[in-house]
Amino acid sequence: MCMFCDQEFTGNRSVLLNHMAREHAFNIGLPDNIVNCYEFLAVLQGKLDNLQCLYCEKVFRDKNTLKDHMRKKQHRRINAKNKEYDKFYIINYLEFGKSWEEVQSEDDRELLDNLEEDWSDWEEHPVCAVCLFCEQQSDTTERLYLHMQKSHGFHFPKIKSEHGLNFYQQVKLVNFIRREIHHCRCYNCQEKFESKGGLINHMEETKHIAFLPARSTWDQPQYYFPTYENDTLLCTLSDSEDAKAEDQSEEVPVVSEDISSLKALKQSSVLNQLLCKEKKNQEKF
Ligand SMILES: [Zn+2]
Ligand SMILES: [Zn+2]
Ligand SMILES: [Zn+2]
Ligand SMILES: [Zn+2]
């Protein structure tokens, strides 16, 4: 059941998570990123039942005041500092001893806060995605893709179809690029720059912006996790038109060592075990 509108959902948890993200702008991360999703939602529901804001954790006198507060203050998100949530995120299992909050470095947070302030003017347009390479915002994905192509020479739809990227691979790619750009590092030659401006100049001049590095550098589970909270671009991604590419995507010609390391990673990944375990847990319901 949705925590915000009481609509009921059955079946795949991603349907509910998508509903909450789309209808209520509440995003706790990608379904694949979360373990024991139902337990997690129950914890959150418990907070709401106690009339507590999920983000600032203040307690309110009644449900409507709480709802108003969470909507107006844009507190429809979870408090990343709350360690209680850590166990629900796969990233904690992949990087032992490090919380997902620590994984996002401090300066990520700062930049993120600034971004959120900038976005406050945009309440009328909840779908407002930010360019991967500059501060440009667009209310439609098409316009943003056009901007990235014209201004930076990065042709996302073309890359998508050429590499046969499915939804999750696009998510990982976007998160990877955001992270590299945030660290002022060229994703092709790894050169580091003092400023984002310097980096983008380099990437445009050398055309390093236009093509992707080896798949193994970015097609990694840690990039399921957004570099920025509330990255609207992620919500607007869609499967590439020829969805059949999805099944073949692993067959896409990459350097052979990439494939083998990817397969090894998949086999050894705790992620798979966790997902299997979770499926079993869900069957008990
Ligand atoms: Zn709802
Ligand atoms: Zn609050
Ligand atoms: Zn731009
Ligand atoms: Zn470069």
Side-chain angles (χ1 to χ4, degrees):
M1 197 163 77
C2 172
M3 298 188 282
F4 300 108
C5 67
D6 293 345
Q7 198 178 321
E8 288 205 38
F9 292 87
T10 47
N12 199 316
R13 67 215 157 120
S14 63
V15 178
L16 174 58
L17 293 189
N18 282 336
H19 162 83
M20 293 199 295
R22 291 222 176 104
E23 301 298 317
H24 310 292
F26 181 74
N27 205 336
I28 53 174
L30 293 160
D32 280 0
N33 233 48
I34 296 168
V35 280
N36 296 328
C37 187
Y38 292 109
E39 191 191 334
F40 189 17
L41 290 175
V43 169
L44 297 178
Q45 180 70 59
K47 284 204 185 289
L48 292 181
D49 290 344
N50 289 332
L51 303 174
Q52 201 177 16
C53 171
L54 297 179
Y55 184 69
C56 66
E57 303 187 330
K58 255 186 229 144
V59 177
F60 291 82
R61 64 174 188 279
D62 58 53
K63 208 168 175 185
N64 285 334
T65 323
L66 170 64
K67 276 186 175 170
D68 276 355
H69 162 85
M70 289 182 69
R71 185 171 42 83
K72 284 193 192 137
K73 293 252 165 142
Q74 301 186 339
H75 281 186
R76 271 195 191 145
R77 48 206 164 108
I78 59 164
N79 183 354
K81 292 195 171 63
N82 191 330
K83 296 270 175 274
E84 205 187 327
Y85 303 147
D86 285 357
K87 64 176 173 184
F88 299 112
Y89 283 95
I90 276 170
I91 195 159
N92 292 306
Y93 297 91
L94 293 176
E95 296 195 53
F96 289 101
K98 235 186 194 182
S99 78
W100 56 281
E101 156 94 298
E102 281 158 5
V103 171
Q104 285 190 317
S105 64
E106 280 303 304
D107 46 0
D108 275 12
R109 301 289 308 173
E110 247 174 59
L111 207 97
L112 164 74
D113 288 342
N114 294 339
L115 262 179
E116 276 174 16
E117 272 161 33
D118 293 343
W119 288 10
S120 58
D121 301 334
W122 286 81
E123 274 178 351
E124 304 302 314
H125 304 280
V127 183
C128 179
V130 179
C131 174
L132 290 169
F133 309 106
C134 72
E135 313 302 324
Q136 177 79 36
Q137 304 184 350
S138 268
D139 50 3
T140 73
T141 337
E142 287 68 33
R143 237 178 278 167
L144 189 67
Y145 288 167
L146 203 67
H147 158 80
M148 292 200 281
Q149 186 191 344
K150 289 216 167 124
S151 307
H152 309 294
F154 181 83
H155 197 337
F156 194 56
K158 199 172 126 206
I159 287 177
K160 209 164 96 175
S161 62
E162 271 180 9
H163 294 258
L165 301 183
N166 65 26
F167 173 74
Y168 292 108
Q169 288 162 334
Q170 292 171 52
V171 165
K172 287 186 273 192
L173 181 61
V174 164
N175 290 331
F176 164 76
I177 291 178
R178 288 245 193 258
R179 184 158 293 270
E180 294 300 294
I181 301 298
H182 173 62
H183 290 301
C184 290
R185 190 166 49 210
C186 174
Y187 52 68
N188 268 302
C189 66
Q190 259 89 59
E191 191 173 341
K192 273 207 76 149
F193 291 82
E194 290 295 307
S195 71
K196 198 167 155 182
L199 167 70
I200 302 302
N201 274 341
H202 156 83
M203 293 186 77
E204 288 173 1
E205 272 168 23
T206 57
K207 303 249 190 302
H208 285 177
I209 207 164
F211 59 93
L212 302 182
R215 188 176 283 254
S216 59
T217 51
W218 57 267
D219 198 355
Q220 300 287 353
Q222 71 261 34
Y223 296 117
Y224 275 129
F225 203 73
T227 301
Y228 301 119
E229 233 178 318
N230 303 328
D231 188 344
T232 311
L233 182 57
L234 295 174
C235 307
T236 63
L237 297 173
S238 58
D239 261 322
S240 57
E241 280 75 85
D242 46 343
K244 59 180 189 303
E246 200 171 314
D247 295 331
Q248 299 159 353
S249 58
E250 274 167 45
E251 310 308 319
V252 162
V254 248
V255 194
S256 56
E257 57 172 317
D258 291 346
I259 294 182
S260 54
S261 67
L262 200 73
K263 278 186 181 152
L265 184 93
K266 274 189 179 160
Q267 280 158 5
S268 66
S269 170
V270 277
L271 198 104
N272 285 329
Q273 294 168 20
L274 288 165
L275 288 174
C276 291
K277 216 166 113 192
E278 195 195 7
K279 268 186 204 129
K280 275 179 206 144
N281 284 339
Q282 282 171 22
E283 279 159 12
K284 284 183 200 146
F285 279 96

